Structure formats: structure tokens, C-alpha cells
Amino acid sequence: MDGGRDRELRCIVHLDMDAFFASVEALDRPELRGRPVIVGGTGPRGVVAAASYEARRHGVHSAMPMTRARRLCPGAVVLPPRAARYREVSRAVFEIFRSFTPLVEPVSIDEAFLDLTGTEALHGPPAAAAAEIRRRVRGETGLTVSAGVAPNKLLAKIASDLGKPDGLVVVPPGREQEFLDPLPVGRIWGVGEVTRRVLGRMGVRTVRDLRALDREGLVRRFGAAGHRLYLRARGRDASPVAPPGPPKSVGREETFPRDLRGEAALRPVLLRLAGEVGRRLRRRGLAGRTVVLKVRFGDFSTVTRSVTLPAPVDDDGAVFHAGLELLGRVPPERPVRLLGLTVTGFGPEGAWRQLSLFGGPGAAASREALNRALDRLRERYGGDVVVPGSLLPGGEEGPGG
């Protein structure tokens, strides 16, 4: 069996916001429009999270070290990420997506697949529906989104990439191979830089070249990946658009501009991480029993430590104290490059009671009310509007003060 064509003619749309973080910054600060904008870590170890198309023309791209990005584009405006603002805009964009179909599969905060199969009576032909989605995103958020429409996810993703920025590319049923064959082989999923170089030595430059190779030879050379390359060169992809189920974990991590050493230096970071994890848990109506601490040392070696609590928690303080206990199990003398905190082990929604580390039921209820109030403040004014007293000079241990 070679995978065959999809069993039914599907209509898949891939939607990808254009330079999302940088575009949000230019939306909020109109004076940045038309200028090269780079969003990412501003310290010596910072990396590029997003770059406007003006910056990309200088060779800047995501995941690039910020020091190199600054050399390539010395006139760029470099800004730190504003995660809360990006989530706010993302929620508005995804609400538009879900108004067209419940079959929405997020790929990231700014990218998703939609299955519009069978929605023609509601939204018209696929190309018209995609154009309407793009129009609404622009009208309701002020941002642009590129779209690809095709019979499957593979082709829709390639199409939207080709349409960037602010484009719409449609791959009509029956013309899949005509669309694929002229493209560079690197456009195919699974063909990264290493695979592309290997294929290049085999004389493969385009998808047409790849399609000329037999399946057995590809499998001998690349193993199971060779079978996938054989199918993808023929535009075959039967994977469904899968809306996400409940998350299995909620976490946050931070890489430091300089290595930190010792509990005193790491405690404020742990407090920030616990606060962010707690807010994310409460936002999703989740609580978990297992807290996991991740520590990456200056030499890039990484260890994890975990503890399972008597009952599920979603409280910043409970997460912090568990993390602090785990930090005590890590060699204190070693310099630390990265710290991460994750909560997992979720039970059925509503089938948990908050573990109180601060007293009886009344104290737990007061703590929940405080958390809700703090969450509202932070959602409105940013994560740093309320700072735990222990982060202030002379502050005592524990968050929330």
C-alpha cells in the first residue's frame, strides 16, 4: 500500500499570520511601519523570535542569534517580546477561524489548519471562504494573514508559504502535481538542510526530480522517511485536521543573559515562572499533581527533578514551593543557564480540590479569590504589575505578597 489519494475530496486551508510578533508591534506603534523590526531576546544570548519583512530582506530570520541579526541589520528596531499582547491578538484571530468551522488545528500561536470540507453552502467556494477569512482578520485586527487552499494539509501549507506575505494561493483538485513538480525539493515537509544536501548529491533539485526516484531506493537511503518522501513528492497526505485535546502539561522556562549560581539568584526566577504557570493553569481551568523542574547548566548539560503532590494545584504559591524543594536537589555550586517549571498530571476537569499549603478551607478560598484578582490585573496591565514581596529588597519568602 502506497498511501493512495485521500478517500474523499477535502478542502483544507492553512492560515499563517505574516511576521506576527513584529506586525503586532507595528500595529501598536504606527511609527514602526515600513521599518525593520526584530522581536526577541535583547541580551547577549538572545535569539530572534520574529522579524518584519523589511528586516528579513537583510537576511534576518527567526531562531538566529540576536547578535548576528544586529550585525546584518544595524538599523533595525529591536524589541523584547510581549507575550500577553500576542496571546490577546491570537485569541481574536482564532475566534475568527472558529467562526468558519470547529475543525481548527492550531500549529502555533499564529498558524492553523482549517477543514472547510462540506461548508460550501455556508461559506461559498473554498477560495471565497479563505478570502473572507483574510478580509475579516484584516478588518477586525488590522493584521494580514496568508492562506493556502488545497485538498490536503501538505499542499495547503506549501501554498500559504508561497503566498507570503499577505497572499492567497489555491491548489485546485487534480492539479496537485502540476503545482508541486517545479518547486525546489526543500519545500517538501521533512526535507531539511541535511536531507536537501544528500538529495542534491543524488541530482535531486526539484520535486519532479524526487518523484523520478523509486520508492525502494528512497527507503534504502532514508529508511521510513524515504517512504514519506515518496508520498509527499506525489502530493499525498491523508492526515486529518485535528483540533487539540486537553493539554498534558503547562510550563514555562527562561534562559538567562548570564549564568546564575545559587538559590538566592535563582529564587526570583522561580517565582516568576511559578506565577506564569499558575496563571496559565487557571486560565485553562486545569490543576495538576506533578511539578517538574528543568535545569540547564552552563555547559549545556540538563537535569530534571519532579515531585508528586498529595492533591492537584493551580496556585502560584504551591507551584513555587514545590519548585523550591526541587531546586534543593540540584547541585548549588554549578552555574545555571536555563530554568524551567512545568505542572502535569491533570485529572478530569472539576474532579479536583485545590491543595492548600496556607491553612484550612477558608484560607484556600481566600487564596483562590486573590489569584483571580491578580490574574485580572495582570491580564489588563501586564505580568509585572504585581510583584511578589520576596522580589523586593528585604522581602520575605513566598509569592503573592
Side-chain angles (χ1 to χ4, degrees):
M1 179 178 179
D2 65 4
R5 292 190 177 276
D6 296 345
R7 294 180 179 178
E8 62 174 329
L9 185 60
R10 296 186 296 161
C11 171
I12 308 300
V13 181
H14 181 261
L15 295 157
D16 196 354
M17 303 298 293
D18 298 315
F20 182 55
F21 294 174
S23 296
V24 172
E25 296 299 337
L27 178 70
D28 292 348
R29 296 173 55 181
E31 70 273 14
L32 298 180
R33 293 174 187 171
R35 298 180 62 185
V37 176
I38 303 173
V39 178
T42 55
R45 290 177 175 170
V47 297
V48 175
S52 68
Y53 285 93
E54 293 81 5
R56 294 183 191 188
R57 285 197 282 270
H58 293 265
V60 179
H61 58 78
S62 60
M64 173 182 286
M66 186 63 76
T67 51
R68 185 180 177 209
R70 288 179 183 272
R71 288 197 299 270
L72 290 172
C73 191
V77 178
V78 179
L79 301 170
R82 295 187 295 152
R85 174 60 174 152
Y86 306 148
R87 287 195 300 269
E88 175 188 12
V89 178
S90 175
R91 285 193 291 270
V93 170
F94 273 78
E95 283 180 11
I96 296 172
F97 293 170
R98 294 189 179 97
S99 71
F100 283 78
T101 173
L103 297 178
V104 177
E105 178 182 340
V107 179
S108 65
I109 192 174
D110 62 344
E111 180 184 357
F113 288 103
L114 279 64
D115 190 339
L116 294 180
T117 306
T119 66
E120 289 84 354
L122 288 173
H123 306 303
E132 177 62 13
I133 294 172
R134 296 179 66 243
R135 186 196 68 77
R136 282 191 54 190
V137 169
R138 182 191 289 271
E140 296 178 30
T141 71
L143 301 175
T144 62
V145 58
S146 295
V149 182
N152 60 48
K153 291 166 68 175
L154 167 71
L155 296 169
K157 167 65 173 170
I158 295 173
S160 72
D161 285 345
L162 292 175
K164 279 189 162 293
D166 194 21
L168 168 60
V169 175
V170 179
V171 183
R175 299 179 63 181
E176 297 91 343
Q177 210 63 60
E178 177 185 341
F179 168 75
L180 276 176
D181 274 353
L183 298 178
V185 71
R187 289 285 184 181
I188 295 292
W189 287 353
V191 180
E193 185 60 31
V194 173
T195 302
R196 189 187 62 79
R197 287 200 299 266
V198 173
L199 289 170
R201 291 195 291 269
M202 299 167 63
V204 175
R205 300 287 187 274
T206 67
V207 177
R208 181 182 289 108
D209 297 333
L210 179 61
R211 190 163 59 90
L213 301 180
D214 64 273
R215 179 174 51 192
E216 289 72 20
L218 285 169
V219 171
R220 281 196 301 272
R221 183 65 184 81
F222 298 102
H227 178 66
R228 292 191 291 271
L229 290 174
Y230 176 86
L231 296 177
R232 290 170 183 172
R234 288 154 177 78
R236 298 177 186 174
D237 174 24
S239 60
V241 172
K248 291 181 169 45
S249 65
V250 173
R252 178 80 164 81
E253 60 184 40
E254 182 175 333
T255 300
F256 312 132
R258 300 177 185 82
D259 293 346
L260 301 180
R261 192 191 303 264
E263 182 184 305
L266 293 170
R267 180 191 297 259
V269 181
L270 196 64
L271 278 161
R272 286 197 299 273
L273 297 178
E276 180 64 23
V277 170
R279 288 194 295 277
R280 292 181 180 182
L281 288 169
R282 293 188 293 275
R283 187 184 305 129
R284 300 179 184 186
L286 297 171
R289 291 186 60 197
T290 301
V291 178
V292 182
L293 180 75
K294 174 182 175 181
V295 182
R296 179 165 296 151
F297 298 108
D299 61 2
F300 287 89
S301 62
T302 304
V303 300
T304 60
R305 300 288 185 266
S306 65
V307 61
T308 298
L309 303 173
V313 298
D314 70 350
D315 177 73
D316 305 5
V319 175
F320 167 73
H321 283 283
L324 194 61
E325 175 194 338
L326 296 172
L327 189 62
R329 305 182 196 173
V330 176
E333 72 283 355
R334 295 186 64 181
V336 174
R337 177 186 179 87
L338 174 148
L339 201 65
L341 202 57
T342 298
V343 173
T344 185
F346 305 135
E349 186 174 355
W352 56 273
R353 290 184 60 195
Q354 174 69 42
L355 172 67
S356 175
L357 301 181
F358 309 98
S366 297
R367 191 73 188 181
E368 289 175 13
L370 174 61
N371 282 333
R372 287 194 297 271
L374 294 178
D375 289 345
R376 286 193 294 270
L377 286 171
R378 286 161 173 157
E379 286 290 334
R380 184 170 182 179
Y381 299 108
D384 295 331
V385 67
V386 181
V387 181
S390 53
L391 291 182
L392 302 175
E396 297 298 325
E397 177 183 324

